[in-house]
Amino acid sequence: MVTSRDVAQLAGVSQMTVSRVLQGSTKVAAATRERVLAAMKEAGYRPHAAARTMRTRRTGTVGVVVADITNPFYPQLLEAVGQALGEAGQRMVLWNAPDPGGSSALAALDDGTVDGLIFTTVTEGSTELAEVLRRGDPVVLLHRGLDSLECDQVTTDNVAGGRAVADYLVAGGHTRIGFLRGPELPSTARHREQGFRDRLAELGHPLAEALTRQGGFAHDVARTAMRDLLSQDEPPTAVFCANDLTALGAVDAAVSLGHRVPQDVWVVGYDDIAMAAWDSYDLTTVRQPIADMARAAVGLLLERVEDRSLPPRRQTFPSELTIRGSTARTAWPGA
Amino acid sequence: MVTSRDVAQLAGVSQMTVSRVLQGSTKVAAATRERVLAAMKEAGYRPHAAARTMRTRRTGTVGVVVADITNPFYPQLLEAVGQALGEAGQRMVLWNAPDPGGSSALAALDDGTVDGLIFTTVTEGSTELAEVLRRGDPVVLLHRGLDSLECDQVTTDNVAGGRAVADYLVAGGHTRIGFLRGPELPSTARHREQGFRDRLAELGHPLAEALTRQGGFAHDVARTAMRDLLSQDEPPTAVFCANDLTALGAVDAAVSLGHRVPQDVWVVGYDDIAMAAWDSYDLTTVRQPIADMARAAVGLLLERVEDRSLPPRRQTFPSELTIRGSTARTAWPGA
């Protein structure tokens, strides 16, 4: 993108002079102004970039990028972020981007339409975003992080969450333990699986691949996968699902086959979305402290808006097993 | 807001000349340019407005305003709008505005950050939005409309939907019919209630106020209200809820009290969100054709972006009663 610096160089003047011309200052000599305006034209100086330079203060608007708003977890997270931003006197604008790199949002950051960005559904592989993060631009990763990159990240300890579920199911006497895993790319899915799998192995009950299915972080995919699991000769007696949405699909699979939850099969989710507590599901799950995470992300972002030279920071919140009716309410010291 | 017209008047030149100055055109005499720049300064001409004039083409971005993303209906609607915009080569940016008038979104329209706006949760009373609509700015109301204002609106026939539910419940033999009504302001809630109430009266079963509660378009409010209804000496045998989210709350109230749906009480919702079809709820509801509505709204908006002089247009989609397990599956010619 052409910047006011490029225009200044081309016109042979300082950036301050370019800025004064844009602000319509009468302090600039007419001949100089002519030269600057001609340079803008020649360089193809973009209007939004112009607006950015002309801006004398911040927009007070923060952009949030999400990729999956039909998963109820994200609307809840967005509400919490909006509330935290509101408390800080900031407005929120959202991008629901099929592209997890959020190109449009990055363009808005570039144009100065937003002061900073919070990414909630990042996955490895966006080179554009990685470049922005390396520059120290005001961008914070919330909920999903990037293992490979040093940048501001706010997540929960998904590995510990997965381990806690393994402990709980084995303590509940289960030996045929099933798993509806999430997609491969999100850090949340990978870490939950890693914690669950490692801890089961440590406890002497390694996960059987025959009892593992892809749940896809989607209700319909999970429902089909769970029906398949439950239709086996030796179905699992407890199933951990990589998020709550898939756990609701798993419960519905059981309902559709006339199996009782938890008498015939325990179901455990992850996130503790509002729906998990609704009577029809009453879902045992691992709670993410959504409001605290949102406030932390907003705090890190606003600090970085003020000072881009801050070192990369990671904040990791504990996750908490929340026992409800979709598992027998075993006394459980770990909960 | 100060416009280029104001600047032109103040400088005693045409708007075209102002635009040329902003574009850095060398066709403008130096003295004239001086006058225009001085006028901009004097008038306090705003940089983003300048950017807008400087823009030679559209942003290709449409803004969408929503007020209640934790109601799963809205994420589904937003997905559909995003898809329709994508098919039209447009990007979507969202505002989740507690203020239904969407001030930030209107500012973005003003600044030229977006080409147009779709409001999904408008209610009567926003003078700022009303002003924009009267000007013929590219704004379309989707899902919720404004009775009192002529502007582009895409809604379903909520009155007919309410009437269909009344017909269905009376045909099912119910005489103690309950109602969880929605908030007073949204057109959707008012029209559904009007249709339901009027048709019940026509059929000789006027709605009993003792069987009516405020459901608040929220699960927890509806659950509490339904528990109250069901705890009466003569509880309703069928309850219509003003949207699906409140109907899920009503079903959960029944579950929490050990009442069976539909054996003890029928529950009917409105919207047909994805969750309505999930096995645990299996909810009879009135379907809104979300994808068709989204495409229609995008079509109207893009036409108005091209031509603001178009007359105000209203598109009303039919609503369709969708019978599932939360009511006895009566043969029903009306469905």
Side-chain angles (χ1 to χ4, degrees):
Chain A
M1 197 192 70
V2 179
T3 66
S4 65
R5 176 180 301 195
D6 302 323
V7 172
Q9 270 186 339
L10 196 61
V13 300
S14 69
Q15 268 183 276
M16 179 56 75
T17 303
V18 173
S19 168
R20 283 199 177 123
V21 169
L22 285 166
Q23 286 161 29
S25 165
T26 51
K27 286 183 194 159
V28 186
T32 309
R33 173 168 297 118
E34 285 293 337
R35 229 176 35 246
V36 169
L37 290 170
M40 283 181 188
K41 200 181 175 191
E42 194 187 327
Y45 189 44
R46 272 177 48 201
H48 277 306
R52 177 186 189 174
T53 311
M54 287 158 89
R55 227 170 355 110
T56 52
R57 56 184 199 84
R58 309 206 184 288
T59 61
T61 300
V62 165
V64 180
V65 183
V66 62
D68 190 13
I69 46 169
T70 58
N71 173 355
F73 173 78
Y74 290 104
Q76 279 186 239
L77 186 65
L78 297 175
E79 281 274 307
V81 171
Q83 182 138 6
L85 284 170
E87 286 164 9
Q90 305 283 310
R91 286 181 299 275
M92 174 172 74
V93 55
L94 298 172
W95 280 267
N96 182 40
D99 157 27
S103 301
S104 305
L106 289 173
L109 182 62
D110 218 33
D111 289 348
T113 311
V114 297
D115 297 334
L117 292 174
I118 296 176
F119 278 78
T120 65
T121 42
V122 77
T123 55
E124 307 280 346
S126 165
T127 51
E128 194 184 4
L129 175 60
E131 178 53 34
V132 166
L133 289 169
R134 272 191 212 96
R135 283 209 303 257
D137 275 9
V139 173
V140 171
L141 308 184
L142 171 60
H143 172 58
R144 291 189 191 167
L146 287 176
D147 301 334
S148 56
L149 207 67
E150 284 309 311
C151 63
D152 292 343
Q153 311 196 11
V154 175
T155 57
T156 47
D157 190 341
N158 288 291
V159 174
R163 293 178 66 89
V165 175
D167 278 325
Y168 174 61
L169 296 184
V170 170
H174 294 278
T175 51
R176 290 205 313 277
I177 294 174
F179 180 48
L180 293 188
R181 66 171 180 275
E184 279 179 33
L185 287 177
S187 63
T188 46
R190 279 185 290 109
H191 294 168
R192 290 166 194 178
E193 173 160 359
Q194 183 197 325
F196 186 60
R197 199 179 272 279
D198 289 356
R199 185 59 182 153
L200 280 182
E202 286 170 27
L203 294 169
H205 295 279
L207 195 60
E209 292 311 315
L211 298 183
T212 298
R213 294 286 184 284
Q214 176 57 254
F217 274 177
H219 182 277
D220 57 341
V221 177
R223 183 177 179 277
T224 302
M226 182 71 165
R227 284 175 59 97
D228 184 40
L229 277 184
L230 292 177
S231 304
Q232 297 186 101
D233 284 345
E234 295 209 316
T237 58
V239 176
F240 174 41
C241 307
N243 72 5
D244 279 350
L245 186 58
T246 51
L248 303 184
V251 170
D252 282 326
V255 168
S256 76
L257 293 171
H259 293 231
R260 293 162 306 159
V261 177
Q263 295 88 338
D264 300 324
V265 61
W266 290 21
V267 176
V268 178
Y270 206 112
D271 287 338
D272 199 16
I273 60 177
M275 229 162 282
W278 291 2
D279 304 86
S280 292
Y281 291 107
D282 201 20
L283 186 71
T284 292
T285 184
V286 182
R287 200 179 84 88
Q288 295 206 66
I290 291 179
D292 295 342
M293 292 165 70
R295 258 193 302 272
V298 166
L300 290 185
L301 184 70
L302 296 181
E303 284 170 27
R304 186 162 298 281
V305 167
E306 292 303 318
D307 182 1
R308 296 183 181 215
S309 70
L310 286 168
R313 295 155 301 170
R314 283 182 190 247
Q315 245 176 287
T316 307
F317 283 85
S319 47
E320 184 194 346
L321 187 64
T322 302
I323 297 176
R324 298 200 183 92
S326 71
T327 59
R329 294 179 194 268
T330 319
W332 172 242
Chain B
M1 195 195 69
V2 180
T3 66
S4 66
R5 177 180 301 196
D6 303 323
V7 172
Q9 269 186 339
L10 196 61
V13 300
S14 69
Q15 267 183 278
M16 179 56 75
T17 303
V18 174
S19 168
R20 283 197 178 124
V21 169
L22 285 164
Q23 285 161 29
S25 165
T26 50
K27 287 183 195 158
V28 186
T32 309
R33 172 167 296 118
E34 287 291 337
R35 225 172 43 243
V36 170
L37 291 170
M40 282 181 188
K41 201 183 175 190
E42 195 186 327
Y45 189 45
R46 271 175 52 200
H48 279 304
R52 177 188 188 174
T53 311
M54 285 159 89
R55 225 169 358 109
T56 51
R57 55 183 202 83
R58 311 206 183 288
T59 62
T61 301
V62 165
V64 180
V65 183
V66 63
D68 189 13
I69 46 167
T70 59
N71 173 355
F73 173 79
Y74 290 103
Q76 279 186 239
L77 186 64
L78 297 176
E79 280 274 308
V81 172
Q83 182 139 5
L85 284 170
E87 286 164 9
Q90 305 284 309
R91 286 182 300 273
M92 175 172 74
V93 55
L94 299 171
W95 280 268
N96 182 40
D99 157 27
S103 301
S104 304
L106 290 173
L109 182 61
D110 219 31
D111 289 348
T113 312
V114 297
D115 297 334
L117 292 174
I118 296 175
F119 278 79
T120 65
T121 43
V122 78
T123 55
E124 308 279 347
S126 165
T127 50
E128 193 184 4
L129 174 60
E131 177 55 34
V132 166
L133 288 169
R134 273 193 211 94
R135 281 209 305 256
D137 275 9
V139 173
V140 171
L141 308 184
L142 171 59
H143 172 58
R144 291 188 191 166
L146 288 175
D147 301 335
S148 56
L149 207 68
E150 285 308 311
C151 63
D152 293 342
Q153 311 196 13
V154 175
T155 57
T156 47
D157 190 341
N158 288 291
V159 174
R163 293 179 67 88
V165 175
D167 278 325
Y168 174 61
L169 296 183
V170 170
H174 294 279
T175 52
R176 293 206 311 279
I177 294 173
F179 180 49
L180 293 188
R181 65 170 180 276
E184 280 179 31
L185 288 176
S187 63
T188 46
R190 280 185 288 108
H191 294 168
R192 290 167 194 177
E193 173 160 359
Q194 183 197 324
F196 185 60
R197 199 179 272 279
D198 290 355
R199 185 58 183 154
L200 279 182
E202 286 172 26
L203 293 170
H205 295 279
L207 195 58
E209 293 311 316
L211 299 182
T212 298
R213 294 288 184 282
Q214 176 56 255
F217 274 177
H219 182 278
D220 57 341
V221 177
R223 182 177 179 277
T224 303
M226 182 72 166
R227 284 175 59 97
D228 184 39
L229 277 184
L230 291 177
S231 304
Q232 295 186 102
D233 284 344
E234 294 209 318
T237 58
V239 177
F240 174 41
C241 307
N243 73 4
D244 280 349
L245 186 58
T246 50
L248 303 184
V251 170
D252 282 326
V255 168
S256 77
L257 293 170
H259 293 232
R260 293 162 307 159
V261 177
Q263 293 89 338
D264 301 323
V265 59
W266 291 19
V267 176
V268 178
Y270 207 111
D271 288 337
D272 199 16
I273 59 177
M275 229 162 284
W278 291 1
D279 304 86
S280 293
Y281 291 107
D282 201 20
L283 186 70
T284 293
T285 184
V286 183
R287 200 179 84 89
Q288 296 207 66
I290 291 179
D292 295 342
M293 292 166 70
R295 257 192 302 272
V298 167
L300 290 185
L301 183 70
L302 296 181
E303 283 170 28
R304 187 163 296 282
V305 167
E306 292 302 319
D307 182 2
R308 296 181 181 216
S309 70
L310 287 167
R313 295 155 300 170
R314 283 182 191 247
Q315 244 177 288
T316 308
F317 283 85
S319 47
E320 184 194 345
L321 187 64
T322 302
I323 297 176
R324 298 201 183 91
S326 71
T327 60
R329 294 178 194 270
T330 320
W332 172 243

